[in-house]
Amino acid sequence: MDKFDSKILRLLIQNARITGADIARKINLSLPAVTERLRKLGRSGIIDSYTIRVNREKLSLHLMAFINIWIDHTKNTNVKDQITAIDEVLECHHVAGDYDLLLKVLVSDTAALENLLVNKIKAIKGITRTSTTIILRSYKEEINSKAF
Amino acid sequence: MDKFDSKILRLLIQNARITGADIARKINLSLPAVTERLRKLGRSGIIDSYTIRVNREKLSLHLMAFINIWIDHTKNTNVKDQITAIDEVLECHHVAGDYDLLLKVLVSDTAALENLLVNKIKAIKGITRTSTTIILRSYKEEINSKAF
DNA sequence: CGTGAAATGATAGGAAG
DNA sequence: CTTCCTATCATTTCACG
């Protein structure tokens, strides 16, 4: 991971569909050199995968929320597997704190949120309590760290 | 957004560097048809941008945390602009709840977290209180919703 | 690093729902 | 009117020397 690799990663984060030739031009390296570096970055696992960002508003997914979950650990059910299988759950983190799991969920509206909570999340055995925080607005939502 | 567009989006989420020809083969459409749909998805704004997912472990960014922030609104400083400018801040959400802002941050270790809190976040005028929750492990971390 | 074969992408013209 | 296809041409990618 030298300076060139960092630059390549930054360019890819801005637009993963950029061509190798374009990268070569921008960082002043020959195309074969860039191709080789891309292969290495892929093989080394630094590049996890290529994806797109979809506009959630345009897909009518307007409501995002965080849900804290308390788990009764005496009931040894695998809550996390059931949680992560839910489509609306974007993230599921095990945290060190008052509660056990923190979810980020994305739904179309409050009705869908209610349905998610009542029929999907609270239906899972072992969950003793939940607490939901609605997101009013997201000022920043990065996929990747720029800190490299 | 018909069935074909949905399929194209799914394929792109799996690998944004997939070629148009490959998409055409997989969904049984000609290449020009796929090209035209990609253009439309871009123009309509459903595709926000193309990016990569980088492996944070490989970049030695091991520590993720959520930080709740309370703001004194009588001091009319634009806290959010200063917060979102910080590289380590991956997300910044304005929430409806006890506190005002919820941040997701990514750093290398606890020393970096301390530095972030003391020198960058708490240095911002208008922030009255913070509360940090360390993420032990992430079971799921999706960029995009699969719910379309 | 350059070169050429192979794959990919863009475009035009035309047909069908 | 929109969406699709075939065919052709320009461009990019990739592997080899």
Side-chain angles (χ1 to χ4, degrees):
Chain A
M1 268 285 301
D2 62 0
K3 199 184 60 178
F4 286 121
D5 286 335
S6 283
K7 285 186 181 175
I8 291 175
L9 283 181
R10 278 174 203 274
L11 288 171
L12 285 173
I13 287 173
Q14 284 166 33
N15 178 18
R17 275 183 95 83
I18 192 173
T19 61
D22 264 329
I23 295 175
R25 261 191 296 277
K26 297 203 182 195
I27 67 176
N28 274 330
L29 230 58
S30 72
L31 176 53
V34 169
T35 307
E36 187 51 37
R37 278 168 184 273
L38 282 174
R39 251 196 291 273
K40 256 187 211 162
L41 285 169
R43 266 203 308 270
S44 72
I46 290 178
I47 293 178
D48 240 23
S49 61
Y50 296 93
T51 63
I52 60 169
R53 280 178 73 93
V54 299
N55 188 312
R56 293 159 179 173
E57 295 289 326
K58 292 275 164 65
L59 288 171
S60 298
L61 295 167
H62 299 286
L63 188 61
M64 199 146 66
F66 286 102
I67 302 178
N68 300 349
I69 291 185
W70 283 257
I71 297 176
D72 180 352
H73 291 286
T74 62
K75 297 178 182 168
N76 212 357
T77 57
N78 55 342
V79 173
K80 78 163 170 49
D81 290 339
Q82 294 174 72
I83 290 279
T84 54
I86 300 172
D87 265 354
E88 289 90 341
V89 174
L90 300 184
E91 301 181 18
C92 173
H93 307 282
H94 182 201
V95 300
D98 176 33
Y99 50 95
D100 299 287
L101 294 179
L102 194 154
L103 315 186
K104 186 162 83 175
V105 303
L106 179 66
V107 292
S108 52
D109 50 33
T110 50
L113 180 62
E114 187 202 12
N115 178 52
L116 171 66
L117 274 167
V118 174
N119 296 323
K120 296 192 179 179
I121 292 178
K122 292 197 175 171
I124 298 172
K125 288 203 200 318
I127 292 181
T128 58
R129 186 184 151 203
T130 70
S131 162
T132 302
T133 303
I134 303 281
I135 298 176
L136 299 173
R137 186 166 169 176
S138 295
Y139 292 120
K140 185 175 186 180
E141 202 176 357
E142 290 288 325
I143 303 171
N144 302 294
S145 166
K146 290 185 184 167
F148 57 82
Chain B
M1 269 285 300
D2 61 1
K3 198 183 61 179
F4 285 122
D5 286 335
S6 284
K7 285 186 181 174
I8 290 174
L9 283 181
R10 278 174 203 274
L11 287 171
L12 284 173
I13 287 173
Q14 285 167 32
N15 178 17
R17 271 184 99 81
I18 191 174
T19 62
D22 262 329
I23 295 174
R25 266 190 293 276
K26 296 202 183 196
I27 68 176
N28 275 330
L29 230 58
S30 72
L31 174 55
V34 170
T35 305
E36 188 51 38
R37 280 169 182 274
L38 282 174
R39 254 197 290 270
K40 258 188 208 162
L41 285 168
R43 266 202 308 270
S44 72
I46 289 178
I47 293 178
D48 242 23
S49 62
Y50 296 92
T51 64
I52 60 169
R53 280 178 73 94
V54 299
N55 187 312
R56 292 159 179 173
E57 296 290 327
K58 292 272 164 66
L59 289 170
S60 297
L61 296 168
H62 298 285
L63 187 60
M64 197 145 66
F66 286 103
I67 302 178
N68 300 349
I69 291 183
W70 282 258
I71 297 176
D72 180 353
H73 291 285
T74 63
K75 297 178 183 169
N76 212 357
T77 58
N78 54 343
V79 173
K80 77 163 169 51
D81 290 339
Q82 294 175 73
I83 289 280
T84 53
I86 300 173
D87 267 355
E88 289 90 340
V89 174
L90 299 185
E91 302 182 17
C92 172
H93 307 281
H94 182 201
V95 300
D98 176 34
Y99 50 96
D100 299 288
L101 295 179
L102 194 153
L103 314 186
K104 186 161 82 176
V105 304
L106 179 65
V107 292
S108 52
D109 50 33
T110 50
L113 180 62
E114 187 202 13
N115 178 51
L116 171 66
L117 274 167
V118 174
N119 296 323
K120 296 192 178 178
I121 292 178
K122 292 196 176 169
I124 298 171
K125 287 201 202 317
I127 292 181
T128 58
R129 186 184 150 202
T130 70
S131 161
T132 302
T133 303
I134 303 280
I135 297 176
L136 299 174
R137 185 165 170 175
S138 295
Y139 293 122
K140 186 175 183 178
E141 202 176 358
E142 290 287 326
I143 305 172
N144 302 292
S145 166
K146 291 186 181 164
F148 57 82

